[in-house]
Amino acid sequence: MLTFYNEHHAQHRGRHEMFRGALVPCFEKPERVDMVLAEFERRGLGRIVTPHGVSLVSLERIHTPRYLHFLRNAWSEWVALDEANADKDAFPSVWPIRGMRSDIEPDNFAARMGLYSMDSGTPLTAGTWIAAKTGADCAVNAAHALRLGERGTFALTRPPGHHAGADFFGGYCFLNNAALAAQHLLDDGASKVAILDIDYHHGNGTQSIFYGRNDVLFISIHADPRTEYPFYLGHANETGEGEGTGYNLNLPLAAGSTPAQWFLALESACVKLASFAPDALVVSLGVDTFAGDPLSSFALQSGDFLRIGERIAHTGLPTAFVFEGGYAVGEIGINVVNVLEGFETAN
C-alpha cells in the first residue's frame, strides 16, 4: 500500500464547532490522522510519502474558480476585518435559501462565507487552505499512482472532503478529495471510474458533482438522511439526472442497522460496481460506522473493517482510498488500517 501523507494537516485545527446549539470542542481534529499514521507505521503496511503539488487548474476540474479564490483568501479577509479575529475561527452566520440569488457574489465577507457554506459546524482557520490543498495533492497523487501501476493507494489527510461540493464547504470538508481523484483518473486516460463512499454520512458533495455524468458511478452506503447529516441529500430515489441517470446509487440504512444489514448493502454496491466495470475505484474511507463512534448509530466492530477491505479487494479494481470521517479517536487507527490490511492481504 503506497500512502500519501498530508504533513500539513494539523495546520487546520478548529477551536470549536457548533453542535446541538452549543460550541463544543471539534470532533474533527488532528489526532485522527496521527492515530492512523501511528498504526500504519506499527504494522509496516507499506511506504509513506509526501505528495507532489498539483496546480489550481487541476482543482478547477471539480471546484469553481470563484469558490477556490474565496477559500485561498478567506482567512486574510477575516483577520483584516478585525485584528482580534486572528484568535477566533471563522463561522458563517447567514445563508441564501430558496428564492434568493447565488449568482452575484456579495462584497460583504460574512455574506460571501454564507454563500459558500452549508452549515455552522465547520470552522475555517488560519491553516485551512494549506491543509485542504495538500490533502487534494495527496488524493490526486494517489489516483495518479494507480495509473502508474499501483494496485492500492491511500490518501491520509484531513480535513475530509466528501461533503464539499463544487462551490461550497461543510461537514468539516473544504475540497472534495475523492472527486478530485476520480477526475484525475479520467483526465489521465481512464474511460470510467467508480466512487464507493462507505462513510456513515452521505457524500452529498460528491453526488452533486457527478450527478449529471455517466463516466463516474457514485455509490454511497450511509445513514438515512431523514435523521442524519447531511439531511437534504442521500435518498434511495436519487439515481442521477440527464446523462447521469442510473449512475448514482444511494443505499441508506436506518439508525441501529446491524453489521449484517450493512454488509448486505456493501454486497449490493459491489454488484453494481461489477456491472459498471470501471477502470479504477476511489473509496471514500470513513470509519464512523464503528459502534463506538460518537456521531454514529451503526454497530460495526473493528474486525468488520478487515472484511470491508477484503470485499473491496475482490472487485479486482485498482483502488485509491481517501480518508474521510471517523471520530472514535482511540480506535480510529485500528479501524482504518484494518480496511487497508484487509485489502492488501485478500487472496
Side-chain angles (χ1 to χ4, degrees), residues 6 24 84 112 117 214 219 249 287 308 314 334 336 344 347:
N6 180 356
V24 301
R112 277 186 290 118
S117 72
N214 60 14
I219 305 174
L249 175 62
V287 294
I308 292 171
H314 289 151
I334 292 170
V336 169
E344 286 286 273
N347 296 321

Side-chain angles (χ1 to χ4, degrees), residues 140-163:
V140 171
N141 278 248
H144 189 68
L146 297 183
R147 301 296 291 170
L148 295 178
E150 294 286 341
R151 172 176 173 263
T153 58
F154 179 40
L156 178 54
T157 184
R158 53 168 293 280
H162 71 149
H163 293 305

Side-chain angles (χ1 to χ4, degrees), residues 70-332:
F70 170 79
L71 274 187
R72 291 198 310 274
N73 296 286
W75 184 257
S76 60
E77 293 187 42
W78 169 242
V79 175
L81 292 174
D82 185 340
E83 291 182 0
N85 284 350
D87 296 321
K88 305 173 185 175
D89 294 341
F91 287 93
S93 57
V94 61
W95 294 267
I97 61 166
R98 292 166 297 281
M100 295 184 176
R101 296 184 64 172
S102 60
D103 58 317
I104 298 176
E105 186 181 58
D107 294 331
N108 181 278
F109 174 79
R112 277 186 290 118
M113 192 167 189
L115 179 67
Y116 296 120
S117 72
M118 62 175 282
D119 63 36
S120 61
T122 305
L124 193 150
T125 78
T128 294
W129 170 253
I130 185 63
K133 170 59 170 62
T134 309
D137 296 342
C138 289
V140 171
N141 278 248
H144 189 68
L146 297 183
R147 301 296 291 170
L148 295 178
E150 294 286 341
R151 172 176 173 263
T153 58
F154 179 40
L156 178 54
T157 184
R158 53 168 293 280
H162 71 149
H163 293 305
D167 63 352
F168 61 85
F169 67 89
Y172 311 144
C173 304
F174 297 89
L175 296 175
N176 194 308
N177 300 317
L180 288 161
Q183 185 62 54
H184 180 80
L185 287 163
L186 293 169
D187 293 343
D188 206 32
S191 61
K192 296 188 296 183
V193 176
I195 300 173
L196 173 62
D197 191 324
I198 57 174
D199 192 277
Y200 177 76
H201 304 95
H202 177 254
N204 61 288
T206 315
Q207 173 174 308
S208 66
I209 287 166
F210 296 114
Y211 202 61
R213 292 171 52 171
N214 60 14
D215 54 352
V216 176
L217 170 67
F218 177 64
I219 305 174
S220 180
I221 306 169
H222 54 271
D224 192 328
R226 290 176 297 180
T227 59
E228 300 293 332
Y229 189 93
F231 304 115
Y232 309 111
L233 215 60
H235 299 281
N237 64 354
E238 297 159 9
T239 60
E241 64 183 8
E243 292 183 355
T245 300
Y247 295 90
N248 194 90
L249 175 62
N250 286 327
L251 298 166
L253 298 172
S257 290
T258 65
Q261 291 169 316
W262 194 93
F263 277 98
L264 186 63
L266 178 61
E267 197 58 36
S268 296
C270 289
V271 169
K272 181 71 171 180
L273 277 175
S275 66
F276 183 61
D279 297 315
L281 174 65
V282 177
V283 176
S284 275
L285 177 53
V287 294
D288 40 2
T289 49
F290 177 60
D293 197 280
L295 300 182
S296 167
S297 64
F298 286 174
L300 296 189
Q301 302 298 319
S302 291
D304 291 322
F305 293 99
L306 282 165
R307 293 176 56 200
I308 292 171
E310 291 168 356
R311 184 60 185 93
I312 292 172
H314 289 151
T315 66
L317 296 169
T319 302
F321 293 88
V322 178
F323 187 40
E324 301 283 6
Y327 308 99
V329 175
E331 297 84 6
I332 194 169

